[in-house]
């Protein structure tokens, strides 16, 4: 069983994961409009991951007898000058998400809620990747500039495919 404080915190995090998906879907659209179909694909896969994060948390609250209550989702920024601006925003956003995840773990500790603390270990680890990936791509964008290198990097990012994390305990 979850305490009301924990349910409230996870419900808010479900909203933040859905917003993240919305943010990346907007970036996918922006990349498409720039003709960068590989980057558009990368952000679409990123959106799919966020939807799974939301679903994992939604299922967790349900399994623990809580009630996921949905908050409204705001319009994401949708104007980006270039791919660098998108990945900068991604890195900045994921750093904020890391803080939110850490706050839930801290709250779980205060509430003596070991199950929630263990459940969120997946997301603590996931956030390392979520920050490392845009940072890595930003460094590559700096290296390649706007010419043929960008074309090749776009091709590389077009290879990304969505895979369900093994930790995603999705209920039928
Ligand atoms: Mg996420």
């Amino acid at each position: 069983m979850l305490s009301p404080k924990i349910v409230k915190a996870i419900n808010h995090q479900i909203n933040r994961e859905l917003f993240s998906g919305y943010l990346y879907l907007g970036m996918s659209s922006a990349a498409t409009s720039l003709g960068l179909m590989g980057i558009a694909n990368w952000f679409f896969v990123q959106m799919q991951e966020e939807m799974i994060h939301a679903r994992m948390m939604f299922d967790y609250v349900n399994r623990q007898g809580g009630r996921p209550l949905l908050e409204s989702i705001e319009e994401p920024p949708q104007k980006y000058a270039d791919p660098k601006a998108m990945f900068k925003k991604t890195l900045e956003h994921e750093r904020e998400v890391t803080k939110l995840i850490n706050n839930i773990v801290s709250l779980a500790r205060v509430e003596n809620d070991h199950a929630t603390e263990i459940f969120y270990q997946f997301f603590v680890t996931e956030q390392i990747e979520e920050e490392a990936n845009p940072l890595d791509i930003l460094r590559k964008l700096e290296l390649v500039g706007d010419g043929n290198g960008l074309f090749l990097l776009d091709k590389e990012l077009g290879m990304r495919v969505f895979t369900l994390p093994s930790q995603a305990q999705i209920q039928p």
Side-chain angles (χ1 to χ4, degrees):
M1 192 189 159
L2 303 174
S3 75
K5 268 189 190 171
I6 291 283
V7 172
K8 201 176 167 207
I10 300 178
N11 280 344
H12 184 62
Q13 193 57 36
I14 289 170
N15 175 275
R16 291 299 79 200
E17 300 297 332
L18 291 172
F19 173 75
S20 299
Y22 219 38
L23 177 70
Y24 299 135
L25 190 61
M27 289 185 188
S28 182
S29 167
T32 299
S33 75
L34 293 173
L36 296 163
M37 300 312 291
I39 291 175
N41 169 71
W42 194 93
F43 279 115
F44 194 86
V45 172
Q46 188 73 8
M47 177 277 287
Q48 289 176 296
E49 281 198 354
E50 301 304 342
M51 302 308 279
I52 285 298
H53 295 163
R55 181 158 182 199
M56 287 169 76
M57 294 179 200
F58 179 86
D59 284 349
Y60 178 73
V61 173
N62 274 328
R63 279 204 308 279
Q64 288 275 43
R67 171 90 199 269
L69 287 174
L70 307 178
E71 302 170 7
S72 51
I73 302 166
E74 69 270 30
E75 181 183 331
Q78 297 183 69
K79 283 183 186 155
Y80 300 97
D82 52 30
K84 224 178 274 178
M86 296 176 209
F87 287 101
K88 262 186 195 159
K89 178 69 189 167
T90 300
L91 180 57
E92 183 189 299
H93 178 71
E94 289 302 331
R95 283 174 174 164
E96 286 305 312
V97 173
T98 299
K99 282 183 200 163
L100 294 173
I101 297 287
N102 286 341
N103 287 345
I104 293 177
V105 174
S106 299
L107 179 65
R109 285 182 182 163
V110 170
E111 298 278 305
N112 204 26
D113 183 343
H114 295 228
T116 297
E117 187 178 343
I118 290 167
F119 175 71
Y120 269 91
Q121 274 176 13
F122 166 82
F123 296 100
V124 169
T125 309
E126 178 72 8
Q127 283 310 117
I128 299 171
E129 285 304 304
E130 297 289 56
E131 291 187 30
N133 290 339
L135 184 60
D136 176 56
I137 296 167
L138 270 174
R139 285 172 174 156
K140 284 181 178 162
L141 282 168
E142 290 289 344
L143 277 175
V144 302
D146 295 329
N148 290 346
L150 179 59
F151 179 77
L152 289 173
L153 180 58
D154 184 63
K155 227 175 160 183
E156 183 190 316
L157 297 179
M159 307 287 274
R160 186 183 188 190
V161 285
F162 172 71
T163 47
L164 195 65
S166 56
Q167 292 91 336
Q169 298 166 32
I170 303 299
Q171 292 186 326

Short mmCIF file of all heavy atoms in Angstrom, two decimals, residues 13 16-18 20-21 24 46 49-54 57 93-94 97 101 123 126-127 130, ligand 1:
data_model
loop_
_atom_site.label_atom_id
_atom_site.label_comp_id
_atom_site.label_asym_id
_atom_site.label_seq_id
_atom_site.Cartn_x
_atom_site.Cartn_y
_atom_site.Cartn_z
N GLN A 13 4.46 12.59 -11.26
CA GLN A 13 5.55 12.13 -12.14
C GLN A 13 5.00 11.49 -13.42
O GLN A 13 5.61 11.63 -14.49
CB GLN A 13 6.46 11.15 -11.38
CG GLN A 13 7.78 10.87 -12.10
CD GLN A 13 8.58 12.14 -12.39
OE1 GLN A 13 8.58 13.07 -11.58
NE2 GLN A 13 9.24 12.20 -13.52
N ARG A 16 4.57 14.25 -15.64
CA ARG A 16 5.84 14.76 -16.18
C ARG A 16 6.39 13.86 -17.28
O ARG A 16 7.04 14.31 -18.22
CB ARG A 16 6.87 14.94 -15.05
CG ARG A 16 6.56 16.05 -14.07
CD ARG A 16 6.48 17.43 -14.70
NE ARG A 16 5.23 17.68 -15.38
CZ ARG A 16 5.04 18.61 -16.32
NH1 ARG A 16 6.03 19.39 -16.71
NH2 ARG A 16 3.88 18.78 -16.88
N GLU A 17 6.18 12.54 -17.13
CA GLU A 17 6.64 11.60 -18.17
C GLU A 17 5.81 11.81 -19.44
O GLU A 17 6.36 11.80 -20.55
CB GLU A 17 6.53 10.15 -17.69
CG GLU A 17 7.37 9.84 -16.44
CD GLU A 17 8.87 9.99 -16.64
OE1 GLU A 17 9.35 9.83 -17.77
OE2 GLU A 17 9.57 10.29 -15.65
N LEU A 18 4.50 11.99 -19.27
CA LEU A 18 3.64 12.24 -20.44
C LEU A 18 4.02 13.56 -21.10
O LEU A 18 4.07 13.67 -22.33
CB LEU A 18 2.16 12.22 -20.04
CG LEU A 18 1.62 10.84 -19.62
CD1 LEU A 18 0.21 10.98 -19.05
CD2 LEU A 18 1.64 9.85 -20.76
N SER A 20 6.98 14.85 -21.05
CA SER A 20 8.26 14.58 -21.74
C SER A 20 7.97 13.99 -23.12
O SER A 20 8.58 14.40 -24.12
CB SER A 20 9.13 13.60 -20.95
OG SER A 20 9.44 14.13 -19.68
N GLY A 21 7.03 13.04 -23.18
CA GLY A 21 6.66 12.45 -24.45
C GLY A 21 6.14 13.50 -25.42
O GLY A 21 6.49 13.50 -26.60
N TYR A 24 8.99 15.64 -26.75
CA TYR A 24 9.79 14.97 -27.78
C TYR A 24 8.99 14.76 -29.07
O TYR A 24 9.57 14.77 -30.15
CB TYR A 24 10.37 13.66 -27.23
CG TYR A 24 11.27 13.92 -26.05
CD1 TYR A 24 11.22 13.16 -24.89
CD2 TYR A 24 12.18 14.98 -26.08
CE1 TYR A 24 12.03 13.44 -23.80
CE2 TYR A 24 13.00 15.28 -25.00
CZ TYR A 24 12.92 14.50 -23.86
OH TYR A 24 13.72 14.79 -22.78
N GLN A 46 12.20 8.42 -28.56
CA GLN A 46 12.31 9.01 -27.21
C GLN A 46 10.91 9.21 -26.61
O GLN A 46 10.67 8.93 -25.44
CB GLN A 46 13.04 10.36 -27.33
CG GLN A 46 13.40 11.01 -26.02
CD GLN A 46 14.54 10.33 -25.29
OE1 GLN A 46 15.20 9.44 -25.81
NE2 GLN A 46 14.76 10.74 -24.06
N GLU A 49 9.55 5.93 -25.38
CA GLU A 49 10.14 5.57 -24.08
C GLU A 49 9.42 6.28 -22.94
O GLU A 49 9.16 5.69 -21.89
CB GLU A 49 11.63 5.93 -24.05
CG GLU A 49 12.49 4.93 -24.78
CD GLU A 49 13.96 5.04 -24.38
OE1 GLU A 49 14.33 5.96 -23.62
OE2 GLU A 49 14.73 4.19 -24.85
N GLU A 50 9.12 7.55 -23.15
CA GLU A 50 8.45 8.32 -22.10
C GLU A 50 7.05 7.77 -21.81
O GLU A 50 6.62 7.73 -20.65
CB GLU A 50 8.36 9.81 -22.48
CG GLU A 50 9.70 10.49 -22.72
CD GLU A 50 10.67 10.37 -21.57
OE1 GLU A 50 10.26 10.07 -20.44
OE2 GLU A 50 11.87 10.60 -21.81
N MET A 51 6.37 7.32 -22.86
CA MET A 51 5.04 6.74 -22.66
C MET A 51 5.13 5.46 -21.82
O MET A 51 4.26 5.19 -20.99
CB MET A 51 4.37 6.43 -24.02
CG MET A 51 4.21 7.62 -24.95
SD MET A 51 3.42 9.05 -24.20
CE MET A 51 1.72 8.56 -24.34
N ILE A 52 6.21 4.70 -22.04
CA ILE A 52 6.41 3.48 -21.25
C ILE A 52 6.74 3.84 -19.80
O ILE A 52 6.26 3.19 -18.86
CB ILE A 52 7.50 2.58 -21.89
CG1 ILE A 52 6.93 1.90 -23.13
CG2 ILE A 52 8.04 1.53 -20.92
CD1 ILE A 52 5.75 0.95 -22.87
N HIS A 53 7.55 4.88 -19.60
CA HIS A 53 7.84 5.31 -18.22
C HIS A 53 6.53 5.64 -17.51
O HIS A 53 6.31 5.24 -16.37
CB HIS A 53 8.74 6.56 -18.21
CG HIS A 53 10.10 6.31 -18.77
ND1 HIS A 53 10.93 7.34 -19.15
CD2 HIS A 53 10.78 5.16 -19.01
CE1 HIS A 53 12.07 6.83 -19.60
NE2 HIS A 53 12.00 5.52 -19.53
N ALA A 54 5.67 6.40 -18.20
CA ALA A 54 4.38 6.78 -17.61
C ALA A 54 3.56 5.53 -17.30
O ALA A 54 2.96 5.41 -16.23
CB ALA A 54 3.62 7.71 -18.55
N MET A 57 4.74 3.59 -14.22
CA MET A 57 4.35 4.24 -12.96
C MET A 57 2.84 4.10 -12.73
O MET A 57 2.40 3.88 -11.60
CB MET A 57 4.77 5.72 -13.00
CG MET A 57 6.28 5.90 -13.02
SD MET A 57 6.75 7.65 -13.09
CE MET A 57 8.42 7.51 -13.72
N HIS A 93 15.95 19.49 -19.95
CA HIS A 93 14.71 18.88 -19.47
C HIS A 93 15.00 17.61 -18.67
O HIS A 93 14.44 17.40 -17.58
CB HIS A 93 13.79 18.58 -20.65
CG HIS A 93 12.52 17.90 -20.23
ND1 HIS A 93 11.52 18.55 -19.54
CD2 HIS A 93 12.09 16.62 -20.37
CE1 HIS A 93 10.54 17.71 -19.28
NE2 HIS A 93 10.87 16.52 -19.78
N GLU A 94 15.89 16.77 -19.19
CA GLU A 94 16.17 15.50 -18.49
C GLU A 94 16.89 15.74 -17.16
O GLU A 94 16.71 14.96 -16.22
CB GLU A 94 16.98 14.55 -19.39
CG GLU A 94 16.16 13.99 -20.54
CD GLU A 94 14.90 13.20 -20.10
OE1 GLU A 94 14.91 12.62 -18.99
OE2 GLU A 94 13.92 13.17 -20.86
N VAL A 97 14.12 16.30 -14.87
CA VAL A 97 13.43 15.03 -14.57
C VAL A 97 14.23 14.23 -13.54
O VAL A 97 13.66 13.64 -12.62
CB VAL A 97 13.18 14.20 -15.86
CG1 VAL A 97 12.62 12.81 -15.53
CG2 VAL A 97 12.22 14.93 -16.79
N ILE A 101 12.86 12.64 -10.04
CA ILE A 101 12.99 11.21 -9.69
C ILE A 101 13.72 11.09 -8.33
O ILE A 101 13.30 10.34 -7.46
CB ILE A 101 13.77 10.44 -10.79
CG1 ILE A 101 13.02 10.48 -12.13
CG2 ILE A 101 14.10 9.01 -10.35
CD1 ILE A 101 11.79 9.63 -12.26
N PHE A 123 14.41 3.98 -12.65
CA PHE A 123 14.38 5.33 -13.22
C PHE A 123 15.63 6.13 -12.85
O PHE A 123 16.07 6.97 -13.64
CB PHE A 123 13.09 6.05 -12.79
CG PHE A 123 11.86 5.37 -13.32
CD1 PHE A 123 11.10 4.52 -12.53
CD2 PHE A 123 11.47 5.54 -14.65
CE1 PHE A 123 9.98 3.86 -13.03
CE2 PHE A 123 10.36 4.89 -15.17
CZ PHE A 123 9.61 4.05 -14.35
N GLU A 126 17.99 4.86 -15.34
CA GLU A 126 17.54 5.32 -16.66
C GLU A 126 17.95 6.78 -16.89
O GLU A 126 18.34 7.16 -18.00
CB GLU A 126 16.01 5.17 -16.74
CG GLU A 126 15.36 5.64 -18.01
CD GLU A 126 15.62 4.73 -19.21
OE1 GLU A 126 16.19 3.64 -19.02
OE2 GLU A 126 15.27 5.13 -20.33
N GLN A 127 17.88 7.60 -15.84
CA GLN A 127 18.20 9.02 -16.00
C GLN A 127 19.66 9.25 -16.37
O GLN A 127 19.98 10.27 -16.98
CB GLN A 127 17.81 9.81 -14.75
CG GLN A 127 16.32 10.08 -14.63
CD GLN A 127 15.69 10.66 -15.89
OE1 GLN A 127 14.83 10.05 -16.50
NE2 GLN A 127 16.13 11.85 -16.32
N GLU A 130 19.45 9.04 -19.96
CA GLU A 130 18.63 10.14 -20.48
C GLU A 130 19.43 11.45 -20.54
O GLU A 130 19.14 12.32 -21.37
CB GLU A 130 17.36 10.33 -19.65
CG GLU A 130 16.42 9.15 -19.67
CD GLU A 130 15.71 8.93 -20.99
OE1 GLU A 130 16.39 8.80 -22.02
OE2 GLU A 130 14.48 8.87 -20.99
MG1 LIG B 1 11.26 9.50 -18.58
#
